[in-house]
Amino acid sequence: MIVGLIVACEVAFWVLLAAGLAFRYLLKMPRTGLALLLCEPLLELVLFAVTAIDLKNGAEPDWRHGLAAVYIGFTVGLGHSTIKWADARVAHRFAGGPPPVRPPKYGTARAVHEWKVAGRWILASVVAIALLQAAVWYVGDEGGTGSLRAWQLRMVWVIGINVIIAASYTLFPRREPAKLP
């Protein structure tokens, strides 16, 4: 049931995003579009509530509950930037907006960009770790929380990988190719 709800939340995320942008730019109803986009967090609240109720009703904590926490964390950390990304492209394509800004390719500007990206992934992982820890406390010592702890370890790996990637752009920045005279 939890996995089905996670899939439904993901599908609903993209449906609400598409509908919100369609109302905003194609149908020229920006308030309705904004209202649809603001419904996105409700999906995570429903998933959170159903997961908590499932655990409270005695379900053995397993990978599905961990996946729900990770999904919520990633939506918190990456959802806003995904919506901004899609909004910029739809505005450009259908509403005469400016072309989307491309990330810088070289030097310090690229390193700063990579740290911002890493920050979003780190936020997503920290939220997931916190939700997983809350689930461990919620279930208590008598519940089998090994799978939740395993998800926490995976999130630490995500943090480490993102720090390494961002640090590599800081320590070894790409240089702009020399221009021919």
Side-chain angles (χ1 to χ4, degrees):
M1 178 174 119
I2 299 291
V3 173
L5 186 57
I6 293 169
V7 171
C9 284
E10 182 66 12
V11 169
F13 174 86
W14 290 104
V15 168
L16 281 174
L17 178 59
L21 295 175
F23 272 92
R24 191 170 186 177
Y25 295 111
L26 299 177
L27 301 175
K28 307 289 189 230
M29 300 171 69
R31 287 187 179 175
T32 304
L34 180 61
L36 287 169
L37 293 174
L38 290 175
C39 288
E40 301 276 1
L42 296 177
L43 300 171
E44 283 65 46
L45 290 176
V46 168
L47 179 59
F48 179 76
V50 169
T51 303
I53 290 169
D54 191 43
L55 289 172
K56 189 63 172 174
N57 288 337
E60 186 72 24
D62 60 10
W63 66 271
R64 294 177 288 241
H65 299 98
L67 181 62
V70 169
Y71 178 81
I72 293 169
F74 278 40
T75 302
V76 169
L78 304 171
H80 180 70
S81 62
T82 302
I83 292 169
K84 277 181 57 176
W85 176 87
D87 185 61
R89 278 142 185 83
V90 172
H92 174 64
R93 176 90 168 114
F94 296 107
V101 177
R102 293 186 174 268
K105 291 184 179 181
Y106 307 107
T108 304
R110 180 60 186 223
V112 169
H113 169 76
E114 291 299 328
W115 279 108
K116 288 179 182 177
V117 170
R120 289 191 288 270
W121 282 89
I122 291 168
L123 173 64
S125 299
V126 167
V127 169
I129 289 169
L131 288 173
L132 290 162
Q133 187 60 45
V136 166
W137 291 334
Y138 188 63
V139 170
D141 291 333
E142 66 275 352
T145 58
S147 63
L148 301 176
R149 297 280 185 202
W151 277 108
Q152 285 180 317
L153 183 60
R154 290 181 189 112
M155 295 301 97
V156 170
W157 274 98
V158 170
I159 290 170
I161 290 167
N162 278 280
V163 167
I164 289 170
I165 291 169
S168 72
Y169 279 93
T170 302
L171 298 173
F172 310 106
R174 286 184 62 191
R175 299 192 194 287
E176 191 169 356
K179 295 182 181 172
L180 297 175

